[in-house]
């Protein structure tokens, strides 16, 4: 029996998905036993050229009709956003149709509500492509690692920003040129500010934290800093100090609750995440029993993302044929509390532009000391009227680090705090 698929969105991901469902139909059937038939493809502009050909009547501008369309058995949402996409997903779930989505923004923003709607209808909501593109990470976290008390996740979960930082660090590319290339390669979100501001990674961090800890953290409660302010100078200084700059999504259990944050960070060159280059993503999971796990692979782009979506489509189709929900229900604990970000211990790299004269270093060190922040290393670059101090601190409460840097910025001898970035290493 054929399974009728309705797809909303035929851009970077959806266009490739539809083409592959058509071109690879027989190979998919041979491998899975499923006859997957594209019955509707909803887009914004039906006149636009597409990388596939479908029979008349398949292409439609009416996305919201798919929920009640009797020819559609399961719905795939690859348009993005939290407006029409939310209506599409919610409508399909309420109509009792399994839904596959790549939309991390939607899952992060409305996860609990969507999981409840799926559970009420007894159908699956599958979103393997929402985090890490082609990397299998949703199922491993929720299913395979169900028995692990995950302690911390460090993720490079945005391909666009990792691509930009890699180009800046390895080729000395400018931020603007690297971003334009990421857009050309199909890595960037429809609005690339979602990538560079860290918003995309924030959604993914919230999803990872939700799956790892069973507590859904609202995206607004995820501390977020993007890579817009990263200077080539700091990428180069970081390398001299033995680090590489990455945009990290961090989800962890702390004494004060669970926490998720997204910010650029210096990662030691020996850490497994340091070697994750270009649009590659990686999720580094730490647990008391399993130790350390690294999931890595292509985190963005049409091909890898469509593969993840196809895997979910196959699962959803199996569910329909078996008549039983395939994905285990996502159960969320009552919020066990989101940790106070200011109390989380962090380490910092601080670049200071200072006057090069006696007493400067003492004043800087005293300001750190006054806030209970101990210095790990100081390096001076340049001499003369102006010098650059590169300070790396030991771990201290985030709020104390911030207060120390603010105080240092007010010192007469400090012309500028050029950069203040966190260092993510296991050293104290
Ligand atoms: P694109 O902008 O390339 O495609 C969006 C598609 O949605 C277009 O086909 C567009 O139609 C369609 N669309 C827009 N509005 C409507 C509407 N009202 N009704 C029906 N269709 C509509 O986005 P991507 O393919 O890059 O991303 C899609 C989703 O996948 C997003 O949620 C994104 O976050 C996620 N994702 C993307 C990855 C990537 O590497 N690109 C990786 C992982 C996830 P039209 O073509 O007519 O303009
Ligand atoms: N824009 C996203 C990225 C797509 O660059 O990682 C994958 O979610």
């Amino acid at each position: 029996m054929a399974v009728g698929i309705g797809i909303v969105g035929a851009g970077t991901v959806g266009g490739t998905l539809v083409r592959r469902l058509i071109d690879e139909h027989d190979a998919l059937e041979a491998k899975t036993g499923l006859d997957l038939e594209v019955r509707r493809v909803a887009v914004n502009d039906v006149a636009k050229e597409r990388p596939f050909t479908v029979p008349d009547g398949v292409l439609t501008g009416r996305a919201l009709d798919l929920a009640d369309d009797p020819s559609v058995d399961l719905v795939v949402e690859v348009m993005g956003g939290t407006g029409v996409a939310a209506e599409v997903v919610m409508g399909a779930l309420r109509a009792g149709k399994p839904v596959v989505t790549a939309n991390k923004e939607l899952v992060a923003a409305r996860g609990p509500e969507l999981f409840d709607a799926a559970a009420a209808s007894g159908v699956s909501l599958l979103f393997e492509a929402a985090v890490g593109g082609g990397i299998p990470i949703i199922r491993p976290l929720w299913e395979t690692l169900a028995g692990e008390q995950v302690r911390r996740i460090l993720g490079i979960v945005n391909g666009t920003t990792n691509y930009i930082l890699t180009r800046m660090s390895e080729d000395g590319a400018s931020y603007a040129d690297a971003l334009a290339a990421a857009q050309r390669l199909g890595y960037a979100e429809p609005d690339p500010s979602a990538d560079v501001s860290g918003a995309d990674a924030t959604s993914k961090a919230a999803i990872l934290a939700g799956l790892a800890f069973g507590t859904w953290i609202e995206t607004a409660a995820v501390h977020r800093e993007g890579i817009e302010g990263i200077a080539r100078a700091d990428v180069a200084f970081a390398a001299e100090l033995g680090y590489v700059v990455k945009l990290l999504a961090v989800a962890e259990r702390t004494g004060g609750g669970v926490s998720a944050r997204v910010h650029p960070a210096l990662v030691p060159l020996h850490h497994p995440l340091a070697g994750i280059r270009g649009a590659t993503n990686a999720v580094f999971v730490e647990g008391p029993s399993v130790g350390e796990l690294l999931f890595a692979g292509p985190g963005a782009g049409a091909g890898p993302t469509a593969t993840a979506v196809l895997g979910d489509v196959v699962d959803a189709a199996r569910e329909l044929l078996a008549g039983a929900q395939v994905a285990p229900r996502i159960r969320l604990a009552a919020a066990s509390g989101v940790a106070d970000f200011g109390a989380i211990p962090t380490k910092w790299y601080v670049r200071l532009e200072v006057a090069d004269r006696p007493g400067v270093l003492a004043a800087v060190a005293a300001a750190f000391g006054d806030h209970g922040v101990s210095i790990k290393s100081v390096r001076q670059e340049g001499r003369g009227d102006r010098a650059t101090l590169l300070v790396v601190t030991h771990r201290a409460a985030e709020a104390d680090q911030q207060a120390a840097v603010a105080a240092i910025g007010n010192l007469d001898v400090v012309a500028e705090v050029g950069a203040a970035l966190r260092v993510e290493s296991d050293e104290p």
Side-chain angles (χ1 to χ4, degrees):
M1 187 180 78
V3 174
I5 303 170
I7 297 156
V8 179
T12 303
V13 179
T16 295
L17 175 72
V18 175
R19 180 180 56 70
R20 287 180 58 185
L21 278 166
I22 295 167
D23 293 354
E24 298 171 21
H25 174 274
D26 293 353
L28 266 168
E29 186 165 19
K31 191 170 175 184
T32 64
L34 296 165
D35 177 8
L36 303 173
E37 206 173 285
V38 177
R39 300 254 171 88
R40 293 280 181 274
V41 179
V43 291
N44 188 39
D45 176 2
V46 288
K48 208 186 257 184
E49 201 174 318
R50 304 286 165 187
F52 53 81
T53 310
V54 284
D56 284 350
V58 170
L59 210 58
T60 169
R62 301 170 63 91
L64 296 177
D65 289 357
L66 267 58
D68 297 320
D69 186 329
S71 75
V72 171
D73 300 312
L74 71 91
V75 171
V76 181
E77 183 274 306
V78 277
M79 70 168 276
T82 55
V84 175
E87 291 182 62
V88 166
V89 170
M90 207 42 118
L93 291 174
R94 286 193 180 125
K97 297 182 181 180
V99 172
V100 175
T101 179
N103 189 340
K104 55 271 166 159
E105 189 187 359
L106 176 62
V107 174
R110 305 209 16 204
E113 194 188 332
L114 297 174
F115 303 145
D116 283 351
S121 293
V123 293
S124 292
L125 170 68
L126 299 157
F127 51 98
E128 186 60 70
V131 181
I135 308 171
I137 184 64
I138 301 297
R139 279 179 187 74
L141 260 188
W142 185 248
E143 301 180 28
T144 325
L145 292 173
E148 181 71 19
Q149 297 300 315
V150 173
R151 191 179 67 77
R152 185 170 73 144
I153 295 176
L154 296 178
I156 294 175
V157 291
N158 183 269
T160 302
T161 46
N162 203 47
Y163 177 84
I164 293 171
L165 291 171
T166 304
R167 293 280 315 271
M168 285 172 77
S169 117
E170 294 184 6
D171 317 332
S174 74
Y175 173 85
D177 286 350
L179 171 57
Q183 286 179 282
R184 274 198 307 279
L185 291 163
Y187 303 148
E189 291 301 300
D191 173 3
S193 67
D195 295 295
V196 296
S197 70
D200 175 76
T202 299
S203 296
K204 293 165 178 170
I207 294 172
L208 291 175
L211 296 176
F213 309 131
T215 298
W216 211 256
I217 302 180
E218 285 185 21
T219 41
V222 179
H223 175 84
R224 167 167 69 87
E225 292 169 37
I227 65 159
E228 304 101 318
I230 299 290
R232 263 191 286 188
D234 292 303
V235 173
F237 285 139
E240 286 175 26
L241 296 174
Y243 299 97
V244 59
V245 179
K246 297 289 183 189
L247 182 73
L248 289 188
V250 183
E252 61 188 340
R253 255 185 236 274
T254 71
V258 296
S259 139
R261 53 196 162 95
V262 168
H263 52 69
L266 274 65
V267 175
L269 288 172
H270 59 76
H271 192 281
L273 291 179
I276 302 300
R277 302 169 55 253
T280 306
N281 278 196
V283 181
F284 187 72
V285 180
E286 300 168 14
S289 303
V290 80
E292 295 175 347
L293 299 171
L294 181 69
F295 300 83
T305 310
T307 291
V309 174
L310 270 171
D312 280 350
V313 168
V314 166
D315 262 4
R318 286 188 176 135
E319 165 168 317
L320 287 165
L321 295 181
Q325 195 177 333
V326 286
R329 186 178 160 192
I330 295 192
R331 291 172 202 277
L332 301 171
S336 67
V338 177
D340 170 16
F341 181 57
I344 289 174
T346 52
K347 286 178 61 151
W348 283 40
Y349 152 95
V350 183
R351 172 167 59 85
L352 303 171
E353 304 301 332
V354 298
D356 185 15
R357 59 173 196 252
V360 172
L361 195 53
V364 169
F368 274 117
D370 288 349
H371 292 88
V373 178
S374 164
I375 292 173
K376 175 177 184 277
S377 68
V378 181
R379 175 163 167 173
Q380 177 169 331
E381 302 273 332
R383 296 194 69 84
D385 288 348
R386 285 280 288 271
T388 300
L389 286 185
L390 307 175
V391 182
V392 176
T393 71
H394 284 296
R395 219 173 277 283
E398 167 73 22
D400 292 335
Q401 301 272 18
Q402 288 187 18
V405 171
I408 287 165
N410 288 329
L411 293 174
D412 288 346
V413 293
V414 173
E416 186 195 1
V417 177
L421 299 167
R422 292 171 194 83
V423 177
E424 207 60 53
S425 84
D426 286 331
E427 293 169 0

